[in-house]
Amino acid sequence: MNRVAVVTGAARGIGRATVNRLAEDGWQIVAVDSCADDPAVPYPMASRSELSSLVEAWPGQVRDVVADVRDADSLRGAVAIAQQEFGQIDAAVAAAAVIAGGKPLWETDDSDWDALFETGVRGVANLARAVIPAMLNEDEPRTGRFVALASAAGHRGLWHLAAYNAAKHAVVGLIRGLATDLRGTGVSAVAVSPGSTDTPMLAASAALYELDDINEFAQHQLVERILDPAEVATVVGWLCSAESSAITGTVVHADGGFTA
């Protein structure tokens, strides 16, 4: 059966792992990433070559689109490409996010706050506004899935990352509201909250804390190790499937026991 997904933040990290997971399961994917550095973010963003390598790995299954989730028109364009090239959209995964901060809230710059909310919250809303109408246009019974990456930070306070905490709480709230709006349609909305996962964002978080090794974060997780992005992507992939029909308007904690 033909299944099609749109994934943002696709060039690396959990977004990339999700593209790989879905492709392994036979999905066709429009992989979206901005592939451009942000002066408000203190580390390099994913490159164009990282995004295009997904197409090389999955020829015929993955279509790469350079688009910034902060730009609603760009995301509508990505959705249009998915419909034109693959015929439908069955799932959307909002994985694009950044990390910034490293100071108490009262010393946090507006640029840090804006970077976190524009990409991590507005970007989720922009994807939903672009893709949900396409899902609702499908014939009943519908099985559309909208999955947003939140974080354990959406459930626990983190030292010197209050703005990031607030952004991830906002993602959880957005998903609860979206799921309620989707009541009875057959389309679901779910958040996934990972714990500390081996991604460039975690390395950037370690730098904010002046840590030499990301493995120092493992002490917060009951599994006593850093998660692999593929572990989180497996959860996301299942939530994209029709088999996840009982789950909507809630959070799935793929956090290695961080919030136990």
Side-chain angles (χ1 to χ4, degrees):
M1 182 179 68
N2 185 42
R3 294 174 295 174
V4 180
V6 176
V7 180
T8 66
R12 64 187 189 189
I14 295 172
R16 184 184 186 89
T18 296
V19 172
N20 287 327
R21 174 75 268 170
L22 292 174
E24 288 170 5
D25 289 342
W27 288 67
Q28 294 173 302
I29 304 112
V30 171
V32 179
D33 208 288
S34 65
C35 299
D37 287 343
D38 184 340
V41 177
Y43 59 96
M45 297 290 97
S47 67
R48 183 70 182 87
S49 62
E50 286 176 294
L51 183 63
S52 61
S53 67
L54 286 166
V55 180
E56 297 166 6
W58 303 102
Q61 282 184 259
V62 175
R63 169 70 153 85
D64 58 332
V65 174
V66 175
D68 192 327
V69 297
R70 298 172 295 184
D71 182 346
D73 287 339
S74 291
L75 286 184
R76 282 191 285 268
V79 167
I81 288 170
Q83 292 176 302
Q84 291 162 9
E85 298 198 8
F86 298 134
Q88 64 197 60
I89 300 176
D90 301 282
V93 180
V98 299
I99 189 72
K103 300 176 183 176
L105 180 62
W106 57 92
E107 296 178 9
T108 299
D109 296 334
D110 286 346
S111 61
D112 290 339
W113 182 273
D114 292 343
L116 291 164
F117 274 80
E118 287 298 306
T119 297
V121 183
R122 186 186 295 274
V124 176
N126 283 343
L127 181 61
R129 290 186 290 184
V131 78
I132 294 297
M135 291 181 178
L136 294 178
N137 199 42
E138 295 293 325
D139 293 336
E140 296 188 42
R142 304 184 188 95
T143 58
R145 303 286 181 258
F146 188 90
V147 183
L149 270 294
S151 169
H155 314 279
R156 289 283 179 87
L158 300 182
W159 186 65
H160 284 185
L161 287 176
Y164 184 68
N165 282 136
K168 290 305 183 180
H169 274 77
V171 171
V172 173
L174 188 157
I175 286 296
R176 293 190 189 282
L178 175 60
T180 304
D181 287 343
L182 289 167
R183 178 174 181 164
T185 65
V187 178
S188 68
V190 182
V192 174
S193 285
S196 295
T197 306
D198 188 3
T199 66
M201 265 186 63
L202 188 66
S205 300
L208 290 176
Y209 285 132
E210 299 182 347
L211 299 177
D212 295 327
D213 187 347
I214 63 170
N215 287 299
E216 294 189 46
F217 291 118
Q219 64 182 303
H220 302 293
Q221 302 184 163
L222 298 184
V223 295
E224 296 187 340
R225 61 177 175 81
I226 299 299
L227 300 177
D228 188 285
E231 294 178 276
V232 181
T234 296
V235 175
V236 175
W238 181 75
L239 288 170
C240 288
S241 73
E243 288 75 18
S244 67
S245 56
I247 302 177
T248 192
T250 191
V251 179
V252 176
H253 294 274
D255 63 6
F258 191 109
T259 54

